[in-house]
Amino acid sequence: MVLSVQSKILMTVLSIVLMFALFILFYYPQRQERYLLDNYNNEIENLAKTVALGVKIALTEQNFESVETALDFVRNDKRLQFVSIIQNDSVWNKSHTSFTIEKTVFKTYPDNVDVDPKSTSNEYFIYKSAPFSAPILDGEIKVGFSTTEIIKGRKQIRNASALASFIVFFIGLFIGYLLARRISVPVLALRDAANKVGEGDLTQSVVRRSGDEIGELSTAFNKMVKDLGKAQEEVEERTEELTVEKHKSDELLLNILPIETAEELKRTGQAKAKNYDSVTVLFTDFRDFTSISEHMDANQLVAELHHCFSMFDHIIKKHGIEKIKTIGDAYMCVAGLPVRNATHPFDAVNAAIEIRDIMLAYTKEKNAKGEVGFDIRIGINTGHVVAGIVGVDKFAYDIWGSTVNTASRLESSSESNKINISTTVYDIIKDKYDCTHRGKKNVKGLGEIPMYFVDGIKKNINP
């Protein structure tokens, strides 16, 4: 049977309307329900984080009344089933080979609710946790909320979707009947344009050929596509802005933390301290810096330090060394962390030689201009350290241990434009570098320890 053009138009319109009605009836409710659940989860998670922040501040200040105030933030919420303060303790496992986290309920509201710290969300309740750390207690805030509101919202969405689908279908049937009695060109144009819009082409528009419903539909279609195009542009612009801001924040974080530590901090919200059995710590400072700085104005002093430390930054980066911090005229860095390697003593010594030589050249250049330069002292030691983040506000990555203290003492016991190393470093590098034995030198807090000056790389030796 051959169908007429009008029948084809009617069937086409009805097919499109039917698909749209099915979309409203099935897919749209699922998507809205998912959005509803996601928003509910995010709201509960934000509430838990807010309470955790309040409890952390209260415990840090040892203001236990403020703990109750923090809990009051959610206690009056009708959806709340419970809010608990969970205490996290590190305990040995049975074989005493590692630590495990043991969670115990410290406080719960209401008191008669039995809370399982390890419970997870289900069809009837949503549980969210937010960690906190205070000097007297490490733990988390766990809240439980009823899903009654979600269930009610789902029912409303499904009823509304069914009604909307029903209305859309019959409106489409009526419009299809009218379209079938008119010329098919505008309908076909709309259909083709709609298909292309569905494929993502938001440059489509149709020509308004009449002043009736078809013409109005054409105008509405063009406006819809235009609005979608503007919305897409806004989304793309916002996405680009967020990408730029994220890049800036990542660059700032990487400027103060090693990349592995920064990634761990972004991923988990905290960074654990790590032991390094063997690294090489390098200290520098400028001899008689205090007396020299008294004859320089503040801007000139800062500019000089910035220039010198920028040169140091470039050198240690080239050798894969991690900068730790600067204190006044002192510069501290370490080779062999956070990425462990076997070449860290050589990396540190090579960097020290470059720093010494570049400062000699810079001082010579300053003296030629009649200006005062800086004589640098360098100390290097190899050994075990602990590395991690300290502080809550303006936190800093730092290292600790006797290795660090010894390196600092070696630097202060060095001489102008000399690289002073410990026996530990000397035993590792002596076959590749010319060194001068200084004998034993008395060092504050360490007694007499042997020291060596590194003169340079031995000829015909590639370290």
Side-chain angles (χ1 to χ4, degrees), residues 143-305:
V143 295
F145 276 70
S146 170
T147 59
T148 303
E149 190 174 291
I150 296 293
I151 296 172
K152 183 179 178 181
R154 286 174 176 171
K155 185 176 180 180
Q156 292 175 345
I157 291 172
R158 290 170 183 174
N159 291 339
S161 298
L163 178 61
S165 178
F166 182 80
I167 293 173
V168 167
F169 180 79
F170 280 94
I171 291 177
L173 181 63
F174 177 70
I175 293 176
Y177 174 74
L178 294 179
L179 290 175
R181 297 173 59 184
R182 299 177 182 274
I183 60 175
S184 61
V185 173
V187 176
L188 295 175
L190 278 170
R191 184 196 65 184
D192 294 340
N195 288 335
K196 291 181 179 180
V197 169
E199 296 171 356
D201 184 1
L202 299 180
T203 63
Q204 292 295 309
S205 66
V206 293
V207 178
R208 180 169 179 171
R209 299 179 182 274
S210 63
D212 58 10
E213 292 86 350
I214 296 297
E216 293 176 357
L217 185 60
S218 299
T219 301
F221 176 84
N222 291 337
K223 184 178 182 303
M224 179 191 72
V225 175
K226 185 177 180 181
D227 291 343
L228 286 174
K230 290 181 178 179
Q232 186 182 52
E233 290 178 359
E234 291 177 358
V235 169
E236 291 175 351
E237 290 176 359
R238 184 58 179 161
T239 301
E240 184 177 353
E241 291 175 0
L242 291 174
T243 301
V244 171
E245 292 302 320
K246 182 179 182 301
H247 181 68
K248 289 180 179 179
S249 65
D250 287 346
E251 283 187 340
L252 179 60
L253 194 61
L254 291 175
N255 195 40
I256 60 176
L257 297 176
I259 183 170
E260 292 80 4
T261 305
E263 291 298 330
E264 182 182 1
L265 189 63
K266 289 192 295 181
R267 185 174 63 254
T268 65
Q270 59 183 358
K272 297 180 180 179
K274 295 182 179 179
N275 283 296
Y276 292 87
D277 294 333
S278 180
V279 300
T280 299
V281 181
L282 186 153
F283 272 93
T284 78
D285 81 340
F286 298 124
R287 188 178 183 89
D288 299 327
F289 176 79
T290 302
S291 60
I292 295 174
S293 63
E294 291 176 353
H295 303 286
M296 303 171 68
D297 63 46
N299 291 331
Q300 183 184 7
L301 177 63
V302 172
E304 286 292 330
L305 286 176

Side-chain angles (χ1 to χ4, degrees), residues 280 282-284 311-312 315-316 318-319 321 333 344-362 376-380 417-421 425 429 432-435 452-459 461-463:
T280 299
L282 186 153
F283 272 93
T284 78
M311 292 191 296
F312 297 176
I315 291 171
I316 69 167
K318 181 175 69 173
H319 290 281
I321 301 174
C333 58
H344 56 84
F346 303 101
D347 298 333
V349 172
N350 287 335
I353 292 173
E354 284 196 44
I355 290 174
R356 179 198 63 189
D357 292 346
I358 202 170
M359 284 305 302
L360 285 171
Y362 183 62
I376 193 167
R377 298 183 300 188
I378 302 175
I380 303 175
N417 304 313
K418 296 289 187 178
I419 302 168
N420 197 26
I421 64 174
V425 180
I429 70 165
K432 296 184 179 180
Y433 295 84
D434 288 324
C435 300
Y452 299 82
F453 282 144
V454 177
D455 299 322
I457 301 173
K458 290 186 176 182
K459 293 182 179 181
I461 293 292
N462 294 317

Side-chain angles (χ1 to χ4, degrees), residues 21-133:
L22 292 174
F23 170 84
I24 295 176
L25 184 61
F26 295 107
Y27 176 75
Y28 183 76
Q30 293 179 2
R31 188 178 65 174
Q32 291 302 107
E33 289 174 16
R34 186 166 61 252
Y35 288 162
L36 180 65
L37 182 60
D38 289 344
N39 290 337
Y40 195 66
N41 272 291
N42 290 336
E43 179 186 359
I44 296 172
E45 185 173 1
N46 289 334
L47 288 173
K49 290 179 178 179
T50 302
V51 174
L53 178 60
V55 170
K56 174 185 176 180
I57 294 173
L59 292 178
T60 301
E61 298 175 353
Q62 296 189 10
N63 185 347
F64 299 102
E65 292 182 359
S66 295
V67 173
E68 295 295 328
T69 303
L71 296 178
D72 286 341
F73 189 76
V74 295
R75 272 203 280 231
N76 295 328
D77 197 313
K78 295 180 180 179
R79 303 166 297 176
L80 178 72
Q81 297 301 305
F82 70 86
V83 55
S84 293
I85 300 177
I86 308 298
Q87 179 176 349
N88 294 339
D89 294 312
S90 297
V91 298
W92 285 105
N93 59 13
K94 292 182 179 180
S95 59
H96 283 262
T97 58
S98 63
F99 285 101
T100 60
I101 301 301
E102 183 178 274
K103 298 178 181 289
T104 56
V105 177
F106 182 77
K107 180 179 178 61
T108 298
Y109 173 84
D111 297 334
N112 58 350
V113 176
D114 186 16
V115 176
D116 181 6
K118 297 180 180 180
S119 58
T120 58
S121 301
N122 55 49
E123 182 179 354
Y124 304 102
F125 300 101
I126 292 178
Y127 303 126
K128 292 292 181 182
S129 298
F132 68 86
S133 179

